[in-house]
Amino acid sequence: MWKDAIEMREAVRNQEVSPVELVQESLEKIHAFNPELNAVVHIQAERALEEAKTRSFEGLPFGGVPLLLKDLGQNQAGEPSSCGSKLLKDIPMKRTDNFVKRLEEAGFIIVGRTNTPEFGFKNMTEAKLWGPVNNPYDLKRNAGGSSGGAAAAVASGMVQIAAASDGGGSIRIPASFSGLLGLKPSRGRIPVGPGSYRGWQGASVNFAMTKSVRDTRELLRALQVEQKDSPFLAPLIREWEVRLERPLRVGVIEKSPIESVVAPEAKAALRKAVHFLEDIGCEVEPIGWPVDGVEVMKNYYLMNSVETAAMMQGLEASLGRALTKDDMELMTWGIYQSGQHILAKDYSVALAKWDTYAHAMEKVHEEFDLILTPTVSDVAPLQTQFPMEESVRQALNQIEELSVPEQQSVIWRMFDRTLALTPFTQLSNITGAPAISLPVYLSDKGLPIGVQFMAARGQEALLLQVAEWFEEQGQFEMRQFS
């Protein structure tokens, strides 16, 4: 079994294994494990093997390492990108995104694409187009979303790294549910465009699922960019080792920002992390949320509604016809319709609130280097845990007849139970700050659950330094599957 992607790279460099053999091994594992997991929805074996045979990988940071892309917003020319939607199924993309180009330049060989919910709207991966992703730790449970296919693929060993994205926790949530590391980088850190530069107004960021801190650091080093045509610019990380002249100060928040229940397993994971930090000399102190979590989520949903309406307008133009309820899942239809009549002035006010949240968090970081929370409120959910309530279904079916406030109320009700499971992650998407989920705990039933560290904007190196402390001292709890 491979430890991580860097071990693969080193084996290629030392001529202990060839890129062709690594690709073949990955394809064999996909064929063996995917019938149970449903993590991979597209395989490009011939293209990957040809690249492995003919391309030079000398000196590349991940030369010859197989990789899966997420089937959402990570386009590669000539390959489909369905976004979990029947509207886009089997349509080959005309160009390769800058993010994917950067992965190729790093030496990865793309072998396929992973399952995602329709347009990435859910924190569970269960698109009607492809079906649900089963969690390797318990096949009756979901791997989380929206990067659930990526998480299941890495946790099971199909690949050692899988590309992912995070617009509200979509890397960190499945990482927590699947016993992986999940970093959401700072806004402006990772390449964007040329199709979309402002994914959800900067809330959505591409990165990956990983198994080791060194993979995470090396990948961030390979992908980071000062992109002049990007609306969001982050200076390059030049110092990867953080020199602390005093004990690290960590503010701890156990309470849900929306006052929802936090399960004993999440609290136990948090306590374990706190005890470790105290043992190594960090200053740890309980703190409260500096912002109103309910208000944050209402502004988040309003943004999501408007951006979805704009996306659907673009799809209508490309397809040459109006979209109907039959073209998409009912949840997607509801979000789409709820964005149709939101006034520009109200959207502007909501986005201005984002800046006040970022300011509030930066004030906290003047006192605390990091903020520690649970990543999620409980272990991975059962596949049948969150059926849509009939009253919500009825409201969605007539949502175009409702007023804007009524529509937003329906959206809140549609997400309220699943949001209660994952209320900790969205704030860093809105503020643009980095956050990471670490796999520090297994429940009595052997189910993983992580803790989340949030840092000030641009402070990924500090997050990785702390992650390395946990890793080196044996604090990670993750299984190897075969």
Side-chain angles (χ1 to χ4, degrees):
M1 292 186 183
W2 298 102
K3 174 184 177 182
D4 57 14
I6 287 181
E7 186 175 58
M8 279 185 167
R9 177 200 71 188
E10 290 302 300
V12 171
R13 288 182 177 179
N14 296 331
Q15 297 184 342
E16 298 165 2
V17 68
S18 71
V20 171
E21 289 172 317
L22 289 181
V23 169
Q24 288 173 332
E25 178 187 55
S26 180
L27 293 171
E28 288 169 3
K29 288 182 176 180
I30 291 170
H31 286 298
F33 303 155
N34 204 51
E36 280 193 321
L37 297 176
N38 195 34
V40 179
V41 297
H42 173 70
I43 299 172
Q44 49 197 70
E46 290 184 12
R47 180 171 180 170
L49 287 167
E50 180 64 21
E51 182 178 351
K53 292 174 184 176
T54 59
R55 184 180 172 192
S56 172
F57 298 98
E58 185 175 355
L60 301 181
F62 291 96
V65 175
L67 178 93
L68 288 161
L69 295 176
K70 183 176 179 179
D71 197 36
L72 172 67
Q74 297 179 357
N75 297 340
Q76 184 184 30
E79 303 295 337
S81 181
S82 75
C83 301
S85 170
K86 64 182 181 181
L87 275 170
L88 301 175
K89 184 176 182 290
D90 298 329
I91 300 175
M93 297 295 103
K94 296 180 180 179
R95 62 187 176 187
T96 299
D97 290 342
N98 291 330
F99 171 70
V100 177
K101 286 180 183 177
R102 197 79 169 197
L103 291 170
E104 293 173 326
E105 291 166 0
F108 287 109
I109 302 172
I110 297 165
V111 297
R113 309 184 72 84
T114 58
N115 201 343
T116 182
E118 188 172 54
F119 298 112
F121 291 141
K122 296 181 183 178
N123 57 8
M124 295 174 65
T125 300
E126 50 181 8
K128 288 186 177 179
L129 176 63
W130 302 120
V133 173
N134 298 320
N135 194 309
Y137 284 80
D138 181 349
L139 297 177
K140 298 187 297 297
R141 297 178 184 271
N142 198 272
S146 63
S147 305
V154 174
S156 66
M158 295 179 187
V159 290
Q160 299 304 307
I161 289 182
S165 59
D166 193 317
S170 290
I171 288 175
R172 290 159 288 156
I173 291 166
S176 179
F177 289 153
S178 305
L180 300 170
L181 284 84
L183 172 68
K184 183 205 81 73
S186 294
R187 183 175 298 155
R189 176 76 65 215
I190 304 298
V192 293
S196 173
Y197 288 87
R198 289 180 173 268
W200 288 1
Q201 291 301 321
S204 184
V205 181
N206 285 310
F207 195 58
M209 297 286 182
T210 61
K211 286 183 175 178
S212 70
V213 176
R214 68 178 187 172
D215 270 6
T216 310
R217 182 184 285 113
E218 187 72 7
L219 182 64
L220 189 63
R221 192 194 302 266
L223 294 181
Q224 71 163 342
V225 64
E226 285 186 351
Q227 187 175 347
K228 302 301 184 182
D229 60 340
S230 168
F232 311 109
L233 198 63
L236 295 176
I237 302 170
R238 302 191 186 277
E239 295 293 332
W240 292 89
E241 288 193 18
V242 180
R243 296 173 178 85
L244 298 171
E245 298 178 356
R246 54 166 175 75
L248 193 72
R249 296 171 183 159
V250 182
V252 180
I253 309 177
E254 179 183 273
K255 182 179 177 182
S256 162
I258 61 167
E259 305 286 345
S260 55
V261 174
V262 179
E265 290 83 356
K267 294 179 180 179
L270 193 69
R271 285 195 302 270
K272 178 185 174 183
V274 167
H275 291 158
F276 172 72
L277 291 170
E278 291 174 337
D279 287 345
I280 62 174
C282 299
E283 296 178 358
V284 184
E285 181 181 328
I287 62 173
W289 291 101
V291 296
D292 181 335
V294 172
E295 181 189 87
V296 166
M297 288 310 303
K298 286 182 177 179
N299 278 296
Y300 180 85
Y301 290 151
L302 189 142
M303 172 280 298
N304 197 254
S305 299
V306 173
E307 295 300 318
T308 299
M311 176 183 70
M312 294 302 182
Q313 179 175 288
L315 280 176
E316 287 185 331
S318 64
L319 295 172
R321 66 174 179 85
L323 298 178
T324 71
K325 191 185 301 183
D326 292 335
D327 286 319
M328 61 198 74
E329 296 182 26
L330 187 58
M331 173 181 283
T332 303
W333 177 256
I335 298 170
Y336 168 31
Q337 293 305 306
S338 69
Q340 293 281 57
H341 302 292
I342 293 171
L343 298 178
K345 63 181 181 180
D346 294 330
Y347 191 42
S348 181
V349 168
L351 293 181
K353 281 284 189 179
W354 289 25
D355 299 329
T356 68
Y357 305 147
H359 173 74
M361 292 299 287
E362 288 300 319
K363 294 297 288 183
V364 174
H365 283 302
E366 290 178 4
E367 184 175 357
F368 296 98
D369 303 294
L370 296 174
I371 299 170
L372 171 65
T373 75
T375 305
V376 293
S377 293
D378 206 345
V379 297
L382 295 167
Q383 297 287 12
T384 57
Q385 192 163 325
F386 297 111
M388 184 178 288
E389 295 178 1
E390 185 56 34
S391 62
V392 173
R393 185 181 303 278
Q394 292 176 5
L396 288 171
N397 273 311
Q398 58 180 12
I399 195 166
E400 53 271 52
E401 302 172 12
L402 304 179
S403 67
V404 169
E406 290 171 331
Q407 289 175 335
Q408 288 298 295
S409 177
V410 172
I411 300 303
W412 183 274
R413 288 166 52 206
M414 180 174 70
F415 283 121
D416 62 355
R417 290 181 301 155
T418 53
L419 175 62
L421 178 65
T422 61
F424 295 99
T425 54
Q426 295 83 6
L427 182 58
S428 66
N429 296 89
I430 286 177
T431 65
I436 193 169
S437 180
L438 303 182
V440 302
Y441 191 77
L442 290 176
S443 73
D444 292 341
K445 295 181 179 180
L447 298 174
I449 191 165
V451 295
Q452 174 183 240
F453 283 97
M454 297 186 286
R457 191 92 168 259
Q459 294 300 309
E460 286 94 331
L462 179 58
L463 289 176
L464 294 174
Q465 181 82 64
V466 173
E468 197 166 58
W469 294 344
F470 276 80
E471 184 181 49
E472 289 177 345
Q473 296 299 316
Q475 297 299 305
F476 287 176
E477 297 189 23
M478 54 175 69
R479 282 178 54 192
Q480 286 277 13
F481 294 86
S482 60

